[in-house]
Each structure stands twice: as structure tokens, then as C-alpha cells.
């Protein structure tokens, strides 16, 4: 015998956020849940296939897979924002193309990514000259640096760890990151050390 029931409206009065994380990402989802701690904020996560080895070709494939990954988010009437959590992917696919691909599959007021967020944060802080630390091989690291230059920033110095394994990126030790950031800032200029692909830089 069926029992009648009623439905409730969404309890997430502080907003609904979507995240498209890489299949190999072990950190971003947990980090965002530490930022958005209010239980009235929803954070829904989908995963996009990502190769073990990061190359321009594997990133191009990720661009092809991004619409399907977006479509796997819960079909809510609208999201306040949806983030694609990959700096290198955004750089090589292009921020505008990422926005188009995500918005085509998900109703959202905003589409964001680490590259655009970092640029916006630096502009808001009035930073013009930065230092850059990235985990990538040179063929990935250089386009990231070029993207900051194209956005109007002067890159005083750039270092890369030359890491091609996507799963290793999140496991680079904090002391290695700190040492690289200090080395980049060693000339005494005020700069931003961008040590992670997932976290917007702060000036120091």
C-alpha cells in the first residue's frame, strides 16, 4: 500500500555551488568544504576524466569530456556558480571556451576556474608584478605564464617543478612549495607565489 508524502524545498538557503574536479584530484573537494562550512551552502561535485600524464593532448581531451562531466551534476533549476577546478586545463582550453562548455550543460549564474579567479584576485588587490611557481612541465607551464602576461601582469620570475604526473601535483610537499616561493621572491620584489594549481595566490 502506498503512503502519501510531501516534498520540501531545497534547504540550502546560502546558495548552491557546483564543482567539476579532475578524476585524479585528491584535494580540491575537501579544501572547498573547509571554505564553505555553513551547512546551508550546497556543494555538488562531478568528475571529469583526466589522464595520469598531463600533456597538451590529454588536456584537449578533457575539453571534449567537460560537457558530459558538467551534465552529471544534479539537475537543479540553477546554480549560483560552477567551478572547473583545473588551471592547466583552463589555460589550454581557454577560459571563454570553458565557460561556454559548462554553461551549455548547466544552468548557472557564473562559471569560474582557478586561472580567472587568480587574475581577478590579483587585480582586486592591485598587484601588477608577480612571481609564479607551477608544478607543470615546461610545455604546460609556459602557457600559464603567458596567460598572466596577457592579462597585464609582469612575471618577475617563474619556476616549475616539471611534474607530468597529475596525481603527484597535489602531493608536492609544503616545504617544497614554500622553498620555491621564497626562491621566486628572492629578489625582494613584492610578488605572488602561485604554488598550487587549485589555490588563488596572495601577495607577500
Amino acid at each position: 500500500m502506498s503512503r502519501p508524502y510531501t516534498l520540501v524545498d531545497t534547504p540550502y538557503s546560502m546558495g548552491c555551488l557546483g564543482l567539476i574536479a579532475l578524476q585524479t584530484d585528491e584535494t580540491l573537494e575537501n579544501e572547498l568544504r573547509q571554505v564553505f562550512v555553513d551547512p546551508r551552502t550546497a556543494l555538488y561535485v562531478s568528475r571529469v576524466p583526466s589522464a595520469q600524464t598531463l600533456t597538451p593532448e590529454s588536456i584537449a581531451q578533457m575539453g571534449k569530456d567537460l560537457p558530459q562531466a558538467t551534465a552529471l551534476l544534479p539537475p537543479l533549476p540553477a546554480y549560483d556558480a560552477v567551478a572547473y577546478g583545473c588551471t592547466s586545463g583552463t589555460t589550454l582550453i581557454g577560459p571563454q571556451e570553458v565557460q561556454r562548455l559548462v554553461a551549455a550543460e548547466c544552468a548557472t549564474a557564473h562559471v569560474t576556474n582557478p586561472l580567472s579567479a587568480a587574475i581577478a584576485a590579483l587585480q582586486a588587490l592591485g598587484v601588477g608584478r608577480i612571481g609564479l611557481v607551477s608544478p607543470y612541465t615546461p610545455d604546460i607551464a609556459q602557457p600559464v605564464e603567458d596567460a598572466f602576461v596577457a592579462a597585464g601582469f609582469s612575471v618577475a620570475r617563474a619556476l616549475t617543478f616539471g611534474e607530468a604526473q597529475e596525481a603527484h601535483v597535489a602531493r608536492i610537499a609544503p616545504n617544497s612549495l614554500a622553498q620555491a616561493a621564497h626562491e621566486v621572491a628572492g629578489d625582494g620584489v613584492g610578488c605572488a607565489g602561485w604554488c598550487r594549481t587549485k589555490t588563488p595566490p596572495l601577495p607577500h
Side-chain angles (χ1 to χ4, degrees):
M1 177 177 175
S2 298
R3 178 95 169 91
Y5 62 91
T6 58
L7 299 176
V8 298
D9 293 330
T10 174
Y12 303 117
S13 58
M14 294 297 290
C16 291
L17 307 176
L19 169 65
I20 303 164
L22 303 192
Q23 178 183 358
T24 54
D25 192 303
E26 300 175 8
T27 61
L28 182 54
E29 182 176 356
N30 290 329
E31 289 173 345
L32 285 183
R33 293 197 186 280
Q34 293 175 42
V35 174
F36 299 104
V37 296
D38 193 318
R40 295 172 296 173
T41 300
L43 176 62
Y44 297 112
V45 182
S46 181
R47 297 270 173 170
V48 62
S50 54
Q52 293 296 321
T53 301
L54 190 66
T55 65
E57 292 74 23
S58 68
I59 291 174
Q61 180 59 48
M62 194 162 23
K64 297 177 183 178
D65 294 332
L66 188 56
Q68 184 177 3
T70 305
L72 290 175
L73 287 168
L76 301 181
Y79 286 81
D80 293 290
V82 174
Y84 168 51
C86 183
T87 306
S88 58
T90 299
T91 303
L92 272 70
I93 297 169
Q96 292 77 22
E97 180 65 3
V98 167
Q99 179 171 350
R100 186 189 72 79
L101 292 171
V102 172
E105 300 293 338
C106 178
T108 178
H110 302 283
V111 177
T112 188
N113 61 78
L115 177 64
S116 297
I119 289 172
L122 291 170
Q123 290 172 338
L125 292 167
V127 176
R129 190 178 185 210
I130 66 171
L132 186 64
V133 178
S134 66
Y136 310 117
T137 53
D139 57 342
I140 305 295
Q142 188 59 54
V144 173
E145 180 179 347
D146 293 343
F148 280 97
V149 173
F153 299 99
S154 172
V155 179
R157 192 175 182 190
L159 294 178
T160 180
F161 291 115
E163 179 55 64
Q165 297 300 307
E166 185 68 56
H168 292 174
V169 168
R171 297 190 178 190
I172 296 175
N175 65 322
S176 297
L177 302 176
Q179 289 170 7
H182 282 296
E183 185 175 344
V184 163
D187 59 1
V189 299
C191 65
W194 199 18
C195 301
R196 292 284 307 281
T197 61
K198 316 293 195 303
T199 305
L202 296 175
H204 60 268

